[in-house]
């Protein structure tokens, strides 16, 4: 099986700060462990543009191909508004050169971009040479992240009802959907029914997969302090994060208990915080600085208006930081509903004080919450769910293909007699020339690449998952 995965980088200049990419990296690692013959194609911005090491996305492995190209509207003054808006010509050409020019192909596309899916679909069908009487060679699965629901983007003027309705429509009409968070499933059901037939939306949601947002908790050291000394404030200084409220809590804890604050952010930390004597500030923090703060911190506070199964606070909790959380719908995708340290925005200062004054109880409650989160966000569970969905799709397509449509299946069968049990697709293509009416390789005539792949799979051959031109081997 060959998979193309396209994550949105909503922070286009710092790839590793994108939860979207972090989820996908975990999936790819799990898929490679599950299936020794899987090959993954990434479509990402170049490392020098998005600031990541290819090794981070497993591109140092033989069965992973990193395809890089500058995305749509890259370099524009309004680049941030278009990180999910579709495909540039440069990206489409890069896909052709890295995959189809080498007789490669894809079985499943995991597409996280809200726009451009129709163009991508058309391009890949054209490169395959797909013919209408045959099954479509691949499925496009929409990886739904941060559905544009009204309560999420109330202050973003260019995310209006039109954006939400077209996103929902395109997702519902795709071949499948993966959802990171239950809040988006519920939102799609509610808002989709406003302008689409409710039965259509329900049908699509019934077949959807809830992936969770996997976190490898084993990489964090869950060590709790005997008593709290540091509050760790992490992440972007965005309005939705309610940083003013969080820093008010920081000041309260310092005045009342002498607790200091360490701040880490991918962006610049405002001077009013960075220049405060009891705050240790790390603007544009590196991963190393963030990890050091994870070890130092004892408490963390989530006051955000909304998130889609947030990552940072759970990394903090996994590092032994007691989590005080704002009572918002999104948190219960990973936190037990009766969590003792969750409350309304105006209750957070009181909860933080209670946590310090009842430290042992607070630690026990945070431990309990974390055990729940570990189950919900288990990488193996998420990887298996997503892999099984893809494998089912590939199997269904092979079963649906009718070899009696024309002579192409017969020609492939005849050519196989010359090639043995292992061969590359280009060698098979050349071998078919001896059996076609026109005397040229089969792909020079009316035959799609996917027709050959289906013919091989029906005969017990499997793709070895190698880079470049696929090699098929007999397994039966």
């Amino acid at each position: 099986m060959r998979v193309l995965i396209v994550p949105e980088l909503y922070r286009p200049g710092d790839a590793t700060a994108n939860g979207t990419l972090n989820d996908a990296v975990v999936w790819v690692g799990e898929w490679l462990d599950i299936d020794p013959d899987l090959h993954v194609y990434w479509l990402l911005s170049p490392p020098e543009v998005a600031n990541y090491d290819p090794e981070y996305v497993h591109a140092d492995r033989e069965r992973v191909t990193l395809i890089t190209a500058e995305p749509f509207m890259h370099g524009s003054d309004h680049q941030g508004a278009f990180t999910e808006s579709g495909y540039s010509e440069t990206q489409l050409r890069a896909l052709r050169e890295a995959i189809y020019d080498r007789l490669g192909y894809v079985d499943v596309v995991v597409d996280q971009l809200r726009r451009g899916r129709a163009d991508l679909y058309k391009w890949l069908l054209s490169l395959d040479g797909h013919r209408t009487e045959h099954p479509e060679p691949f499925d496009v699965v929409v990886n739904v992240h941060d559905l544009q629901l009204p309560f999420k983007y109330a202050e973003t003027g260019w995310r209006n009802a039109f954006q939400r309705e077209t996103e929902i429509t395109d997702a519902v009409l795709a071949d499948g959907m993966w959802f990171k968070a239950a809040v988006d499933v519920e939102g799609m059901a509610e808002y989709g029914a406003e302008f689409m037939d409710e039965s259509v939306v329900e049908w699509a949601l019934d077949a959807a997969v809830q992936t969770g947002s996997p976190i490898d908790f084993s990489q964090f050291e869950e060590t709790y302090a005997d008593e709290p000394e540091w509050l760790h404030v992490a992440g972007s200084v965005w309005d939705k994060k309610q940083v003013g409220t969080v820093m008010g809590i920081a000041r309260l804890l310092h005045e009342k208990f002498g607790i200091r604050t360490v701040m880490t952010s991918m962006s610049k930390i405002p001077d009013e915080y960075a220049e405060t004597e009891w705050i240790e500030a790390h603007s544009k923090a590196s991963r190393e600085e963030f990890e050091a703060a994870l070890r130092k911190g004892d408490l963390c506070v989530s006051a955000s208006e909304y998130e889609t199964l947030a990552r940072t606070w759970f990394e903090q909790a996994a590092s032994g930081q007691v989590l005080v959380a704002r009572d918002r719908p999104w948190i219960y995708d990973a936190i037990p509903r009766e969590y003792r340290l969750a409350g309304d925005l105006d209750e957070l200062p009181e909860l933080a004080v209670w946590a310090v004054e009842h430290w042992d109880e607070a630690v026990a409650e945070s431990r309990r919450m974390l055990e729940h989160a570990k189950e919900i966000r288990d990488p193996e569970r998420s990887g298996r769910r997503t892999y099984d969905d893809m494998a089912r799709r590939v199997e269904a397509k092979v079963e649906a293909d009718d070899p009696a449509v024309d002579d192409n299946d017969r020609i492939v069968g005849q050519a196989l007699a010359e090639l043995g049990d292992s061969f590359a697709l280009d060698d098979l293509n050349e071998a078919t020339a001896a059996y076609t009416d026109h005397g040229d390789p089969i792909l020079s005539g009316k035959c799609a690449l996917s027709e050959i792949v289906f013919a091989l799979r029906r005969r017990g051959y499997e793709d070895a998952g190698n880079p470049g031109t696929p090699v098929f081997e007999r397994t039966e």
Side-chain angles (χ1 to χ4, degrees):
M1 180 164 60
R2 290 180 180 257
V3 181
L4 169 62
I5 184 164
V6 188
E8 178 200 354
L9 299 186
Y10 51 85
R11 292 190 180 97
D14 192 354
T16 62
N18 293 266
T20 50
L21 180 60
N22 295 332
D23 289 344
V25 165
V26 175
W27 288 335
V28 170
E30 293 293 327
W31 298 341
L32 293 172
D33 288 343
I34 292 170
D35 186 347
D37 297 325
L38 179 81
H39 195 94
V40 175
Y41 300 104
W42 288 102
L43 180 60
L44 288 170
S45 297
E48 61 272 17
V49 170
N51 190 27
Y52 65 97
D53 186 330
E55 183 178 355
Y56 177 73
V57 296
H58 306 299
D60 56 330
R61 303 197 194 184
E62 185 180 22
R63 292 186 290 126
V64 176
T65 297
L66 175 59
I67 304 171
T68 63
E70 292 183 350
F72 179 68
M73 292 294 282
H74 171 74
S76 163
D77 291 344
H78 296 279
Q79 173 177 294
F82 292 95
T83 59
E84 33 77 286
S85 287
Y87 296 84
S88 66
E89 181 179 351
T90 303
Q91 287 177 306
L92 296 179
R93 290 184 182 278
L95 290 175
R96 182 188 67 189
E97 292 168 3
I99 303 175
Y100 289 88
D101 283 356
R102 304 179 184 188
L103 291 193
Y105 61 93
V106 295
D107 292 300
V108 180
V109 181
V110 182
D111 179 25
Q112 197 167 59
L113 306 188
R114 293 180 172 101
R115 300 282 182 267
R117 193 165 300 127
D119 290 336
L120 177 67
Y121 217 129
K122 184 191 302 183
W123 181 241
L124 297 184
L125 287 173
S126 176
L127 294 176
D128 172 74
H130 175 254
R131 297 189 294 158
T132 56
E133 64 267 33
H134 291 269
E136 292 179 351
F138 54 84
D139 274 4
V140 176
V141 176
V142 180
N143 185 17
V144 180
H145 167 79
D146 224 1
L147 189 68
Q148 296 173 108
L149 302 175
F151 74 89
K152 292 184 180 181
Y153 295 104
E155 304 301 323
T156 306
W158 44 267
R159 294 188 190 272
N160 58 10
F162 175 80
Q163 310 297 326
R164 177 173 64 255
E165 290 170 3
T166 52
E167 178 186 3
I168 290 174
T169 302
D170 284 356
V172 167
L173 297 180
D175 298 311
M177 296 186 292
W178 292 352
F179 283 90
K180 180 174 182 172
V183 69
D184 284 347
V185 177
E186 296 161 4
M188 182 173 285
E190 177 182 353
Y191 290 96
E194 290 183 353
F195 63 94
M196 297 184 73
D197 189 297
E198 188 172 354
S199 65
V200 174
V201 179
E202 289 178 352
W203 173 82
L205 289 173
D206 285 346
V209 173
Q210 290 198 42
T211 67
S213 179
I215 297 177
D216 181 4
F217 286 97
S218 67
Q219 65 181 303
F220 303 100
E221 186 175 351
E222 187 185 353
T223 303
Y224 296 91
D226 293 334
E227 59 182 38
E229 296 180 359
W230 288 90
L231 171 71
H232 180 196
V233 179
S236 301
V237 187
W238 290 346
D239 290 344
K240 74 169 186 175
K241 306 278 189 178
Q242 297 290 326
V243 177
T245 297
V246 175
M247 296 312 295
I249 294 171
R251 182 172 294 279
L252 173 64
L253 295 181
H254 180 69
E255 292 174 350
K256 195 172 181 67
F257 305 107
I259 291 174
R260 299 183 64 192
T261 293
V262 55
M263 293 186 75
T264 54
S265 178
M266 289 74 72
S267 54
K268 185 180 185 301
I269 295 173
D271 291 343
E272 63 180 296
Y273 306 134
E275 295 177 359
T276 299
E277 179 271 333
W278 48 269
I279 297 175
E280 178 185 310
H282 299 273
S283 289
K284 299 183 179 179
S286 66
R287 183 70 192 183
E288 290 74 20
E289 289 173 315
F290 173 66
E291 290 176 352
L294 289 180
R295 293 188 292 270
K296 176 178 284 190
D298 305 310
L299 278 161
C300 59
V301 177
S302 166
S304 186
E305 291 283 344
Y306 65 87
E307 300 289 343
T308 302
L309 212 56
R311 175 176 295 269
T312 300
W313 290 298
F314 291 92
E315 292 180 340
Q316 292 178 268
S319 302
Q321 298 181 19
V322 169
L323 173 62
V324 176
R326 183 178 178 182
D327 183 3
R328 298 290 291 167
W330 68 267
I331 71 171
Y332 298 110
D333 285 340
I335 288 179
R337 287 201 170 270
E338 67 278 12
Y339 186 52
R340 172 70 178 80
L341 296 173
D344 293 337
L345 188 65
D346 58 2
E347 296 175 324
L348 296 184
E350 179 183 343
L351 284 171
V353 169
W354 183 90
V356 174
E357 293 178 337
H358 303 80
W359 185 243
D360 290 343
E361 292 177 61
V363 167
E365 181 68 352
S366 198
R367 282 185 187 275
R368 185 181 71 86
M369 176 277 295
L370 192 59
E371 288 306 307
H372 178 79
K374 286 178 180 178
E375 180 179 354
I376 297 297
R377 308 186 72 159
D378 176 53
E380 185 175 348
R381 170 175 154 175
S382 184
R384 174 54 70 178
R385 281 182 175 179
T386 48
Y387 176 83
D388 286 350
D389 185 58
M390 295 190 298
R392 174 187 61 79
R393 294 175 182 280
V394 174
E395 183 178 355
K397 287 185 180 299
V398 175
E399 292 176 353
D401 189 41
D402 182 2
V405 171
D406 50 35
D407 286 340
N408 288 338
D409 183 80
R410 175 187 58 79
I411 293 169
V412 170
Q414 290 174 313
L416 286 174
E418 300 180 16
L419 297 172
D421 292 337
S422 179
F423 50 85
L425 279 181
D426 55 353
D427 291 333
L428 172 61
N429 184 44
E430 290 298 323
T432 60
Y435 305 98
T436 62
D437 292 339
H438 46 75
D440 293 320
I442 193 170
L443 289 177
S444 299
K446 295 181 179 180
C447 180
L449 178 59
S450 55
E451 294 173 42
I452 296 179
V453 174
F454 291 151
L456 292 173
R457 285 173 170 163
R458 278 197 304 274
R459 288 171 168 79
Y461 289 88
E462 291 295 337
D463 188 334
N466 61 291
T469 303
V471 170
F472 274 74
E473 299 173 346
R474 183 186 288 277
T475 58
E476 296 179 2

